[in-house]
Amino acid sequence: MKAIGYKENLPIEDVKSLQDIEIDTPKAIGKDILVEIKAISVNPADYKVRAGMPVEGDDWKIIGWDATGIVKEVGDDVTLFNVGDEVWYAGDFTRQGSYAQYQVVDERIVGKKPSSLSYAEAAALPLTSLTAWEMLFDRLEVANDDASKSILVIGAAGGVGSILVQLAKKLTKLNIIGTASREETTDWLKELGADSVINHKNKLSEEFEKYKLPAPDYIVSLNATEQHADEIVKVIKPQGKFGFIDDPKSFNVMPFKGKAVSTHIELMFTRSMFQTEDMIEQHNILNEVSKLIDNGTIKTTLGENIGTINAEHMRKAHAFLETGKAKGKIVLEGFQD
Ligand SMILES: NC(=O)c1ccc[n+]([C@@H]2O[C@H](COP(=O)([O-])OP(=O)(O)OC[C@H]3O[C@@H](n4cnc5c(N)ncnc54)[C@H](OP(=O)(O)O)[C@@H]3O)[C@@H](O)[C@H]2O)c1
């Protein structure tokens, strides 16, 4: 099968950083299904791993954690899917990824693709939806009756923010304050349902004062957590809840002690990485998001479709994502004959 892989960590300008390759098609065994991939999307995890996580052994490393496709084969223990089903999933950090024509993935972390979206439109969503859902409902335990409460989402116009804002808007009563620094991303955030948009290039406390915004009960930091740490402590409501998903080099919780703020970390890969007992929750979340799409509650976060799945297009996608200026998600669709 065709795939995109690499054997050494290189800057994205180097053509060897991501290469078109041919490898054997994997087989589905046990709880695995074999999926013929139709579209994939690109996440910051992809460039972080490609550039910074050394490859073990001599095999090609295949990354990618967002795919839509059709089930081609099922393992003996599979109960949730049949050959021919249309599926979507993010996948497992410890296995080969979705930059390939076929991929094996555990059925417990796969959901039914929304039927109202194309493969490309749907590919934008699995990883970010799982992250946003787990952060809001599993980590922060945001309740549905929080009519008087508000949430600040830092870096809200990117991949994760674009779905988190929609889920918060449609599934809770929270007042949503998002951050964006450009006209394009500010407009996008308002379209997605943010009640107010403030600029993360300015001090958050000054923006709160300028727009007379209430101290947020929840803060979710999706980007540059280290940069905003002091301001987060300043603006959050006493006894509030704070969560982050990015990779600060270090994070000190002690400044939160005065306000008794609880701190939460979300990692979308934890359930599959540790095969947790509730791993099937990712199947349930993906099916729930699929329903919300098909009944028109939320929409795709597709920002740009870069074209067919090949190394040249993928290098372009990584290079753009590395600028930190994504609006929604970047998607690639179909392999060239
Ligand atoms: N833990 C997990 O499970 C998990 C899952 C997914 C992602 N992540 C991590 O979470 C981070 C965000 O992912 P993503 O897919 O949303 O990224 P993304 O799409 O690349 O985010 C781009 C957005 O970040 C905003 N931004 C840029 N600089 C910022 C700053 N200094 N302060 C605040 N916002 C800033 C930009 O807004 P403007 O253009 O308006 O400035 C842009 O809209 C990445 O580090 C990723 O690796 C973790």
Side-chain angles (χ1 to χ4, degrees):
M1 66 171 181
K2 291 185 170 136
I4 300 170
Y6 62 89
K7 290 198 171 187
E8 48 184 330
N9 307 114
L10 293 166
I12 200 61
E13 297 74 31
D14 192 318
V15 290
K16 283 191 177 162
S17 60
L18 288 169
Q19 304 177 44
D20 292 308
I21 58 172
E22 283 279 344
I23 53 168
D24 292 340
T25 304
K27 296 253 350 132
I29 54 167
K31 284 194 171 300
D32 282 347
I33 56 174
L34 177 74
V35 179
E36 179 187 1
I37 289 177
K38 295 290 188 185
I40 55 184
S41 86
V42 189
N43 290 284
D46 301 18
Y47 69 71
K48 290 180 191 175
V49 173
R50 188 213 80 239
M53 187 175 282
V55 184
E56 284 168 20
D58 286 335
D59 285 345
W60 289 101
K61 174 73 181 163
I62 298 173
I63 55 172
W65 295 281
D66 252 336
T68 53
I70 301 174
V71 178
K72 286 287 161 186
E73 235 177 65
V74 295
D76 288 344
D77 303 327
V78 167
T79 58
L80 304 171
F81 296 100
N82 294 305
V83 170
D85 286 348
E86 292 188 325
V87 292
W88 67 344
Y89 55 92
D92 182 335
F93 195 69
T94 63
R95 304 180 75 174
Q96 293 286 54
S98 47
Y99 292 5
Q101 270 180 312
Y102 296 90
Q103 181 181 11
V104 279
V105 57
D106 189 307
E107 63 166 352
R108 290 169 293 176
I109 56 172
V110 178
K112 179 185 172 296
K113 168 191 162 286
S115 53
S116 58
L117 294 185
S118 68
Y119 287 112
E121 288 166 335
L125 286 162
L127 184 144
T128 51
S129 297
L130 288 167
T131 310
W133 188 288
E134 291 182 351
M135 173 57 90
L136 286 173
F137 304 114
D138 295 340
R139 312 287 166 246
L140 298 180
E141 297 180 304
V142 166
N144 284 340
D145 58 355
D146 283 345
S148 61
K149 296 188 176 178
S150 64
I151 184 168
L152 168 66
V153 186
I154 300 172
V160 179
S162 298
I163 186 68
L164 190 141
V165 165
Q166 292 189 70
L167 291 174
K169 184 72 184 174
K170 295 298 168 87
L171 304 185
T172 78
K173 297 193 178 85
L174 290 171
N175 176 47
I176 300 161
I177 305 157
T179 82
S181 72
R182 297 174 294 128
E183 201 179 327
E184 188 189 359
T185 43
T186 301
D187 292 347
W188 168 259
L189 256 189
K190 286 182 183 158
E191 257 173 58
L192 294 172
D195 297 295
S196 322
V197 181
I198 60 173
N199 189 340
H200 49 237
K201 290 255 163 81
N202 302 329
K203 284 195 165 165
L204 298 176
S205 57
E206 289 172 9
E207 291 285 283
F208 267 73
E209 203 159 306
K210 180 171 161 193
Y211 295 106
K212 310 230 170 316
L213 294 168
D217 302 83
Y218 304 97
I219 298 185
V220 176
S221 180
L222 306 175
N223 260 296
T225 297
E226 225 162 352
Q227 175 198 326
H228 299 296
D230 294 346
E231 290 295 302
I232 290 167
V233 175
K234 258 192 218 170
V235 299
I236 197 164
K237 196 169 175 176
Q239 305 185 90
K241 291 184 173 188
F242 168 66
F244 67 93
I245 65 164
D246 63 343
D247 304 290
K249 284 196 191 73
S250 64
F251 189 82
N252 182 6
V253 293
M254 284 316 287
F256 282 129
K257 191 175 178 193
K259 285 188 172 175
V261 167
S262 60
T263 310
H264 305 259
I265 300 174
E266 159 60 14
L267 179 61
M268 193 282 312
F269 292 118
T270 299
R271 282 180 159 138
S272 52
M273 206 150 68
F274 293 94
Q275 301 266 307
T276 61
E277 280 168 13
D278 66 354
M279 178 172 164
I280 197 153
E281 278 311 308
Q282 293 208 328
H283 167 73
N284 298 333
I285 294 168
L286 287 170
N287 280 351
E288 202 49 46
V289 174
S290 196
K291 276 189 216 149
L292 292 171
I293 290 276
D294 284 342
N295 68 21
T297 306
I298 56 173
K299 60 179 189 176
T300 179
T301 54
L302 172 57
E304 189 183 355
N305 184 337
I306 289 211
T308 46
I309 304 171
N310 61 36
E312 186 191 345
H313 287 164
M314 192 55 84
R315 288 195 298 273
K316 191 174 154 199
H318 277 228
F320 177 65
L321 212 55
E322 285 179 25
T323 66
K325 290 189 172 172
K327 186 191 83 179
K329 299 284 302 174
I330 299 173
V331 166
L332 289 83
E333 186 181 14
F335 280 83
Q336 265 155 350
D337 291 331

